Every structure is written in structure tokens, then in C-alpha cells.
């Protein structure tokens, strides 16, 4: 059976992308409150989607059902390598989300496949991503797709009150 069509995102998709992005952030912050959004996150992310859709280094793909309903999205960017290791350019997948009722139907697999094709077309040979430690479903997904551990990100809180949300 053919899967749901995957296509590049366009400007008109921004409202749907924001809805799905919010649902994703809600789900991820439920696993760890350190991923909670600040009060102006919507505004920031709307501007970010507008910028990314005009920037050839950012790739956004969507799964579209019935020619009108966006049920998933994924985002990658092309970044420079660190200059002293072999990858000259590194693709980074920053987001992937599939609406809960559409999961386990291969949508994320197809979104990832499309992003990897687009990244390879730009000459990228290495792709990296981060997964929250407590996000067991995402870990299972990436492992099933053949991704390996590379490094662990550590975090330590700074003194309360030293950091404020943008625009606060
Ligand atoms: C992770 C996520 C994108 C997977 O989307 P999906 O469309 O359900 O994934 P697929 O159907 O393409 O799954 C492909 C394979 O990955 C594995 N997999 C996916 N989700 C899994 C889960 N929750 N538990 C165990 N294995 C899982 C399975 O092997 C699956 O194949 P199968 O269904 O034939 O067994 C989705 O659960 C999601 O949006 N989660 C919330 C957001 C999120 O965590 N994003 C990732 C941030 S790094």
C-alpha cells in the first residue's frame, strides 16, 4: 500500500506546522519540564518557520493526507562541520512529529527518508540529531531506523534568575 504523500512545506502550511509543533513541544515537555516553552515561544516559532521556508539550508517536509490535512512534519538543516573532523557539512534533523492518531503507520519513516534524500542531494554525507533522554518512543523509532548513539548532552542549572526568556 502507498503511504501518505510527503512534500516540501510551503508558506500556507505555517498554521498547521505551528499546531503540530505545539503538540510536539507539549508532548516532549511532559517527559521533562526542562523542555517547557517560554511565554513568547509561539511568536518566535512563527517567525522561525517564515525564515526557514525561505532559507535553502533549512528543509521542511510534511505528510499530507487527502491533499489538505497535514499529519506530520520533519525539519533538517545543513550546517558546517567543525573543521577538524571529516564531515565538511553535517545535516541536522531538529524536529519530527506525527499526529498521535496517525502513528505506527510508517509516516515518520517516510518523512525521514525524504529528508535524507534532500540532504544527500545537497552533498551532505553525515546526519545527526538529538533525542531527549526520557523520550522512549523516539529512541525506539531512531534505533529501528538504524541510528546509533554518538554523544550525550549534559546540563546543569545556573543560579535562578540569571536567565530570562527573550523579550522578558
Ligand atoms: C517518534 C515518532 C515521530 C514516530 O512516528 P511514527 O510515524 O509513529 O513512526 P513510524 O510508524 O514510521 O515507525 C517506524 C518504526 O519505528 C519504531 N517505532 C516508532 N514508534 C515507536 C514507539 N513508540 N515504540 C517502539 N517502537 C517505535 C517501530 O519499529 C516502527 O515500525 P513498526 O510500527 O512497523 O513496528 C512519533 O511517535 C512522534 O511524533 N512522537 C512525538 C514527537 C517526538 O518524540 N519526536 C521525536 C523527537 S527526536
Amino acid at each position: 500500500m502507498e503511504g501518505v504523500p510527503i512534500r516540501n512545506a510551503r508558506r500556507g502550511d505555517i498554521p498547521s506546522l505551528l499546531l503540530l509543533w505545539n503538540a510536539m513541544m507539549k508532548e516532549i515537555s511532559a517527559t521533562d519540564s526542562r523542555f517547557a516553552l517560554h511565554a513568547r515561544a509561539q511568536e518566535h516559532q512563527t517567525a522561525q518557520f517564515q525564515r526557514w521556508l525561505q532559507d535553502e539550508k533549512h528543509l521542511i517536509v510534511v505528510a499530507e493526507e487527502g491533499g489538505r490535512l497535514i499529519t506530520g512534519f520533519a525539519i533538517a538543516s545543513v550546517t558546517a562541520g567543525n573543521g577538524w573532523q571529516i564531515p565538511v557539512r553535517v545535516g541536522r534533523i531538529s524536529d519530527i512529529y506525527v499526529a498521535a492518531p496517525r502513528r505506527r503507520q510508517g509516516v515518520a519513516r517516510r518523512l525521514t527518508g525524504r529528508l535524507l534524500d534532500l540532504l544527500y542531494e545537497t552533498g551532505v554525507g553525515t546526519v545527526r540529531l538529538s533525542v531527549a533522554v526520557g523520550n522512549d518512543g523516539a529512541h525506539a523509532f531512531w534505533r529501528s531506523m538504524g541510528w546509533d548513539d554518538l554523544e550525550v548532552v549534559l546540563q546543569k542549572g545556573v543560579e535562578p534568575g540569571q536567565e530570562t526568556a527573550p523579550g522578558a
Side-chain angles (χ1 to χ4, degrees), residues 27 96-98 103-106 108-109 135 137 140-142 144:
E27 209 170 315
I96 183 161
Y97 183 76
V98 175
R103 290 188 189 162
R104 303 306 290 265
Q105 296 171 30
R109 185 185 296 132
N135 192 343
F141 168 69
W142 291 113
S144 83

Side-chain angles (χ1 to χ4, degrees), residues 21-81:
W21 181 81
N22 270 310
M24 176 181 75
M25 294 313 300
K26 197 169 165 193
E27 209 170 315
I28 290 173
S29 59
T31 68
D32 188 327
S33 60
R34 290 173 295 181
F35 293 110
L37 299 181
H38 64 67
R40 298 186 61 189
Q42 299 304 308
E43 200 183 315
H44 170 78
Q45 192 56 25
T46 305
Q48 190 117 281
F49 276 132
Q50 286 165 347
R51 264 200 315 280
W52 287 349
L53 285 169
Q54 293 172 22
D55 171 14
E56 61 182 21
K57 289 198 160 43
H58 279 88
L59 308 166
I60 309 182
V61 294
V62 296
E64 186 179 49
E65 235 177 68
R68 56 188 178 85
L69 180 65
I70 307 292
T71 56
F73 74 99
I75 305 176
S77 58
V78 179
T79 64

